[in-house]
Amino acid sequence: MSQFALLGSRRFAPFFWTQALGAFNDSAFRNAMVMLAAFQMGLSDRDVGLYTNLAPALFILPFFLFSATAGQLAEKFEKTRIIRYVKLFEIAAMVLAAYGFITHHLPLLLIVLFMMGVHSTVFGPIKYAILPQALQSSELVGGNGLVEMGTQMAILIGMTVGNVLMLIAGVGPHFSAALTIGIAVIGYFVSRQIPPAPATAPELKFNWNPLSETGRVLRITREDRAVFNAVLGISWFWFFGTVLVAQLPLYTRINLGGDGTVNTLVLTLFSIGTGIGSLMCEKMSGKRVEIGLVPLGAFGLTVFGVDLFLARSGAAAQRGLDWLAFLQAAGSWRIVLDLTLIGVFAGFYVVPLFAFVQSRAPRDRLSRVIAGNNILNALLIVIASCFGLALERLGFSAAQIFLFAALLNVVVAAYIFTLVPEFLMRFITWVLVNTLYRIRVDGMRHLPEEGAALLVCNHVSFMDPLILMANLRRPARFVMYYKIFNVPLLHFVFKTAKAIPIAGQKEDPAVLQRAFDDVDAALADGELVCIFPEGGLTKDGSIAPFRAGVEKILARRPVPVVPMALRGLWGSVWSRHDSMLGRARLPRRFRAHVELIVDAPRPPEESSAAMLEERVQVLRGDMA
């Protein structure tokens, strides 16, 4: 099922439109306020600068003050009820904004801006914590992609509409007031259609002290190293995006020689690119939480960030170009492509990170982890603003700041991937498997969402563990022949995935015994363990008899057993088919069509080696 089918589902669509309408209204209000201060009130440049610089600070301040409290609210109480209260709060804020627009009362509008920051702060933990409750695991990446796309498009449209309406002579403030109140009211009624999302920690003892609770939320966010580093990755995305967007007006005016329409165009390209990249994540990841896309996204941000500098590092030869004249100028389409692809790779980068946090963080702490993420995001946004301002004061141009941020992205990404090698391991696996094969998966719904299970599969090629790693929705510990485990390059992948090397009794009885002990310990910890009971690669394409090791594992630790079968690998890359014919092992079937079939779990007492062998043969199509 396509991710777009979620837009027709009540468990997702009302929430999607509620958050999109909120993002639209927030953007429309902020931009209308800036237009009012800059063009409608006859203020001096100094006063305009004061208000436009004070506005972002007032909006971001609630994230520091109230994120921890918002995380508690989202854990302790039913989420849809909080959403409705938040939307009522938005209506009240927009009524005040209407009075401020019509009377040109900027101090009141700044208060409303702070209120909208509170609105976003409270809604943030709910926005991402509600998705795992509403969606199946196979829908999580697609749902996040739609939310990210919807947010980007809503912000972009809100920015444009807010600017245009406020600049209508004589009636701009009245139109802006009517729009923002109307959208808030519509958002409230849409929010009433969101299905209930029960509290995940109703017994939570509420802490009203924002300082001590902020410290506790940050400690919770740090508990899982992989989750915390994913949060750092998301915060870095906000740093990079803040630096980029803050420099675009100067870059547009000086380097591109464009007017306000060109500035709108470059923002549009970045937003559309991010939306496209977000939507592509589901297809590219095979509907899994595929963090292998994160290094790809980081790579693209650097490559196209550097190329943006190289495309136009100096001042434009002409000034005052509108968007059409800019597109007709020499070299403009390279810049268009760079800005769009920076957005696309930003989508590849951030959507899997959000999905990873949602899937890995404990359900009863997820909202507080998201709150911790929001606190760190706000901190990095402030640092990014200071970073850009400092480089400007040192004489760096907007294009040079883009280059600096793109190169800094390499350092930060390398640091994160060093701390959590799983990101790089998944990237290598994703690239190898998707380069060599075209894979169809059937029956993944049978894989247990939690708890221990033993996976058994036929063994056709040296790539089998990588194929399974790339397609299983839960991490699994693979038991593999120790010589394959030690293959250069792949050793990093297998070691990072905590694969378990095994040897034959005659080769190394100590390695064999340690493998059985490690399997038992992994199952005791509630992990998935995958074994290839044939004991080696097939020599002729058929399934060899399953050995008794599977029974030994189950006798020691009775757990459900999930039979699986690989089809289409015989004769493909790294199978033994070519070597049997006396040929070099070259890919005769490069990009082979491969199928992974997952069967329903079997109780341990019924899972003899012979029964499992017969079942895998049926799955593979060898038996009627």
Side-chain angles (χ1 to χ4, degrees):
M1 182 179 72
S2 167
Q3 59 192 320
F4 293 104
L6 291 173
L7 294 175
S9 169
R10 183 169 178 258
R11 58 195 170 90
F12 179 79
F15 166 76
F16 172 84
W17 290 112
T18 297
Q19 67 85 27
L21 288 168
F24 171 92
N25 224 20
D26 176 68
S27 178
F29 164 73
R30 282 192 285 167
N31 283 276
M33 188 189 76
V34 170
M35 290 299 103
L36 179 68
F39 299 105
Q40 299 280 55
M41 296 180 61
L43 300 177
S44 66
D45 289 345
R46 182 176 180 180
D47 287 340
V48 171
L50 173 64
Y51 283 114
T52 55
N53 283 287
L54 186 58
L58 283 173
F59 184 79
I60 209 72
L61 182 59
F63 286 91
F64 289 107
L65 297 178
F66 306 125
S67 283
T69 302
Q72 291 182 95
L73 287 172
E75 303 279 24
K76 187 172 180 61
F77 301 106
E78 197 272 323
K79 294 180 179 60
T80 56
R81 182 181 301 177
I82 302 174
I83 291 174
R84 290 165 193 164
Y85 287 144
V86 168
K87 301 311 288 185
L88 289 172
F89 181 82
E90 181 186 347
I91 293 172
M94 290 302 100
V95 170
L96 288 177
Y99 180 81
F101 283 149
I102 294 169
T103 62
H104 292 190
H105 198 311
L106 275 180
L108 177 61
L109 290 175
L110 290 175
I111 293 173
V112 174
L113 184 64
F114 181 83
M115 293 173 67
M116 290 304 290
V118 174
H119 164 276
S120 297
T121 300
V122 176
F123 189 71
I126 299 173
K127 176 178 178 178
Y128 290 104
I130 200 172
L131 288 179
Q133 289 183 264
L135 303 180
Q136 299 173 13
S137 58
S138 60
E139 299 169 329
L140 200 54
V141 173
N144 274 282
L146 286 169
V147 167
E148 187 65 30
M149 178 274 297
T151 301
Q152 291 292 331
M153 293 299 101
I155 291 172
L156 177 63
I157 297 169
M159 176 189 70
T160 304
V161 173
N163 289 348
V164 170
L165 285 185
M166 184 54 75
L167 293 178
I168 298 175
V171 294
H174 295 78
F175 281 3
S176 298
L179 172 75
T180 51
I181 292 176
I183 293 296
V185 171
I186 293 171
Y188 169 74
F189 283 107
V190 173
S191 72
R192 294 190 63 83
Q193 302 304 311
I194 301 175
T200 52
E203 74 291 343
L204 179 68
K205 185 178 180 180
F206 209 90
N207 180 10
W208 290 101
N209 185 327
L211 292 178
S212 63
E213 185 60 26
T214 295
R216 184 167 71 169
V217 161
L218 291 176
R219 286 194 297 272
I220 290 172
T221 307
R222 288 175 58 91
E223 283 179 356
D224 186 304
R225 182 181 175 185
V227 168
F228 180 65
N229 283 284
V231 166
L232 290 181
I234 294 169
S235 296
W236 171 251
F237 167 79
W238 282 102
F239 178 99
F240 187 91
T242 299
V243 171
L244 181 72
V245 172
Q247 299 304 317
L248 282 180
L250 275 177
Y251 179 76
T252 299
R253 184 163 58 87
I254 297 172
N255 298 80
L256 304 185
D259 62 9
T261 63
V262 178
N263 187 60
T264 300
L265 173 65
V266 297
L267 284 171
T268 301
L269 292 171
F270 179 71
S271 297
I272 290 176
T274 305
I276 292 171
S278 299
L279 293 177
M280 289 176 64
C281 285
E282 185 193 49
K283 180 68 174 178
M284 295 181 69
S285 66
K287 299 186 177 183
R288 297 179 308 278
V289 178
E290 182 51 82
I291 57 173
L293 291 177
V294 178
L296 177 65
F299 174 77
L301 289 176
T302 290
V303 168
F304 293 103
V306 170
D307 195 66
L308 188 63
F309 167 78
L310 296 175
R312 190 73 61 82
S313 59
Q318 294 178 278
R319 293 293 180 91
L321 300 175
D322 64 14
W323 69 273
L324 188 57
F326 164 71
L327 290 178
Q328 293 171 345
S332 62
W333 284 98
R334 178 179 175 184
I335 295 168
V336 167
L337 186 64
D338 283 337
L339 287 166
T340 305
L341 289 176
I342 287 173
V344 170
F345 282 91
F348 293 166
Y349 180 87
V350 76
V351 168
L353 285 175
F354 270 122
F356 179 80
V357 171
Q358 291 164 338
S359 64
R360 284 289 187 93
R363 190 66 58 86
D364 62 345
R365 296 188 173 192
L366 176 57
S367 294
R368 283 174 286 172
V369 170
I370 297 296
N373 169 74
N374 289 344
I375 294 168
L376 293 174
N377 289 352
L379 178 62
L380 266 290
I381 288 171
V382 172
I383 293 173
S385 299
C386 296
F387 172 82
L389 186 61
L391 291 183
E392 284 180 21
R393 293 291 183 267
L394 291 172
F396 286 85
S397 69
Q400 289 170 330
I401 293 174
F402 289 159
L403 177 64
F404 201 94
L407 296 177
L408 188 58
N409 181 62
V410 176
V411 177
V412 173
Y415 174 70
I416 293 174
F417 302 149
T418 300
L419 290 178
V420 189
E422 183 180 355
F423 285 78
L424 190 57
M425 178 272 288
R426 292 293 305 186
F427 174 65
I428 294 171
T429 304
W430 182 81
V431 170
L432 280 174
V433 170
N434 286 279
T435 299
L436 299 177
Y437 307 101
R438 286 169 287 182
I439 301 174
R440 186 184 75 87
V441 180
D442 185 30
M444 192 57 70
R445 64 188 181 279
H446 295 310
L447 194 72
E449 293 286 343
E450 56 185 20
L454 185 67
L455 315 181
V456 298
C457 188
N458 59 314
H459 204 2
V460 188
S461 78
F462 291 105
M463 295 293 290
D464 293 354
L466 293 182
I467 291 171
L468 295 177
M469 278 184 203
N471 287 278
L472 295 175
R473 291 203 178 95
R474 279 182 62 192
R477 303 280 300 276
F478 288 85
V479 180
M480 61 178 59
Y481 187 45
Y482 74 103
K483 290 185 178 180
I484 298 178
F485 179 85
N486 291 320
V487 170
L489 177 63
L490 295 184
H491 174 70
F492 165 77
V493 175
F494 297 141
K495 183 178 180 180
T496 304
K498 299 180 180 178
I500 300 171
I502 194 169
Q505 178 68 37
K506 295 181 179 179
E507 288 181 289
D508 196 327
V511 170
L512 177 64
Q513 184 57 47
R514 187 163 58 248
F516 277 108
D517 291 341
D518 289 346
V519 167
D520 186 68
L523 293 174
D525 288 340
E527 297 183 86
L528 297 179
V529 175
C530 182
I531 65 171
F532 301 98
E534 294 166 271
L537 296 182
T538 178
K539 297 179 180 179
D540 56 8
S542 61
I543 296 178
F546 279 16
R547 299 185 179 182
V550 61
E551 296 174 354
K552 182 177 178 181
I553 292 171
L554 294 174
R556 187 171 174 181
R557 182 75 56 180
V559 296
V561 183
V562 180
M564 305 187 301
L566 288 166
R567 299 175 179 170
L569 275 168
W570 180 244
S572 68
V573 181
W574 301 113
S575 70
R576 284 180 166 171
H577 186 258
D578 284 343
S579 60
M580 283 182 60
L581 301 176
R583 303 172 183 172
R585 190 179 290 118
L586 294 175
R588 289 201 317 143
R589 292 180 59 228
F590 186 73
R591 296 287 291 161
H593 288 278
V594 174
E595 292 180 292
L596 170 62
I597 313 300
V598 182
D599 199 12
R602 304 297 167 121
E605 61 273 12
E606 299 177 8
S607 300
S608 66
M611 186 281 288
L612 292 171
E613 176 191 336
E614 180 179 341
R615 189 59 200 158
V616 172
Q617 287 178 335
V618 171
L619 294 175
R620 215 186 68 141
D622 294 339
M623 300 176 64

